[in-house]
Amino acid sequence: MPIENKQHKDTVFRMLYSDKRYLLELYNAINHSNYNDPSKLKITTLEGETFLHMKNDVSFLLDFKLNLYEHQSSPCPNIPLRDLQYVASIYKNLILQEKTYKAERIRIPEPKFIVFYNGTVPMQDEVTYKLSDMFDTKGDEPQLELIVHQYNVNAGHNPELMQACSTLKQYSLFVQKVRKYREEYMNSIGDEVQNDANFDESLFKKEVIRKAVEKAIDECIKEDILRDFFVKYRKEVIKVGVLEYSAERHLQVIKDEGYALGCRDTENELRPQIDSLTKEKEAAVSEKEAAVKEKEDAVKEIEYLRQLLKENDIEV
C-alpha cells in the first residue's frame, strides 16, 4: 500500500505501521490474539484535517475496540492528557453529536492507549501513566481517568513482545543501528574541522544523521531486516529519518543540559531543608543511643544489686 509522507509528524514508526499487515501483527502481539485479516482494521488516525488540527500516530478500530498507539523517543508523562484529546476527537468523528442527546444508550468502542518508547533515556520495560496523576488535587475516587501503558521497545527490552512481533523487533534493530552510526560519525570529526571558519555545525550534524540513516538502511537490507519496507520506501525513510533523529538528538541535548541544571538548582533550593533534616536525624540518633546506654546501665545496676543480695543471703 502507498505511504504518504505529507505531515511533519511522520516518523519511521508511523510510516511502518501505516501498513495494516504490520499493524495487525503489532496488535496481536500486544493483545495475545491471532487475528489474520488486515482488512478488518478501520484506521481512525487523526491527520490534522479537523479544525483542531490534531494528529496522532496510529489509531484504529478492530472488533469494536478503539486502539490508540503513540511512538515516543523521549519520556512524556503528559501523554494521558494528549490521548484524552485524541480519543475525544476520534469519538466525535465516529459518532454524530445528535445521537448523544437520545434517551437510548449509545454503544461506543472501548479505548486502549499504548505508547511505544524507544528514547535514549533509560526506562523500565513497562510504565503506566494515569491522567489522575496529573490532577493538581485528587480525591479518593477521581471522576475522570485515562490509563496509558508504555512499552520500552529499545533492543534488549520486552523480549516476549519483540518475539511476538517481528516488525517491532526489526524496527528496534534499525533504530539501534542509526544511533550507533550517528555516534561513530560524530566522534570521527577532527579538531581541525571544528576550528575551520567555514565549518557549519548544524549542517554537519544533519549530514551525519543522513549518513547514519543511509548506512543503517543498507545494513538492514543486507541483513534482511525490514528489507521489503526499506527497499520500497528508502528515499522516504531517509527524509523522515533525518528529521526525526535530528530532532531526537536536539531534544536529548536540551534535556541533558536541563536535567543537570535542574538537579543543581533543586539541590540548592532544598539544601536548607536537607541540612535541617540531617541535623534532626543526627539528634534523634544521639537520643536513641543515649536511651539505649541508659537502659543498659540500669540493667547492669539491677544485676549487681541482685548479686549483692544473693551473696548476703537476703531474699526479696
Side-chain angles (χ1 to χ4, degrees), residues 30-45:
I30 289 291
N31 295 281
H32 308 289
S33 54
N34 55 0
Y35 290 93
N36 55 23
D37 187 356
S39 67
K40 297 296 184 182
L41 292 173
K42 180 182 178 181
I43 302 300
T44 60
T45 304

Side-chain angles (χ1 to χ4, degrees), residues 36 75 80 98 108 113 171 228 247 254-255 268 279 287:
N36 55 23
E98 293 78 15
I108 63 175
F113 307 94
Y171 167 74
D228 293 343
I254 292 175
K255 285 181 179 291
N268 291 334
K279 290 179 180 178
E287 290 179 5

Side-chain angles (χ1 to χ4, degrees), residues 141-153:
E141 297 182 6
Q143 300 300 295
L144 178 64
E145 186 63 281
L146 188 152
I147 300 173
V148 181
H149 297 284
Q150 176 178 281
Y151 296 93
N152 189 336
V153 294

Side-chain angles (χ1 to χ4, degrees), residues 267-290:
E267 183 179 356
N268 291 334
E269 290 177 5
L270 295 179
R271 178 49 57 189
Q273 294 95 314
I274 293 174
D275 291 342
S276 176
L277 289 172
T278 301
K279 290 179 180 178
E280 290 179 7
K281 184 176 180 180
E282 291 175 349
V285 171
S286 297
E287 290 179 5
K288 184 177 180 180
E289 290 176 347

Side-chain angles (χ1 to χ4, degrees), residues 8 14 48 55 70-71 75 81 102 104 110 125 130 143 150 163 172 205 229 274 283:
H8 70 273
R14 195 172 191 258
K55 303 172 188 173
E70 289 296 304
H71 167 256
L81 183 58
K102 294 184 177 181
E104 183 181 357
E110 178 187 4
D125 278 13
K130 294 184 178 181
Q143 300 300 295
Q150 176 178 281
Q163 186 66 29
S172 72
K205 288 182 178 179
F229 173 74
I274 293 174

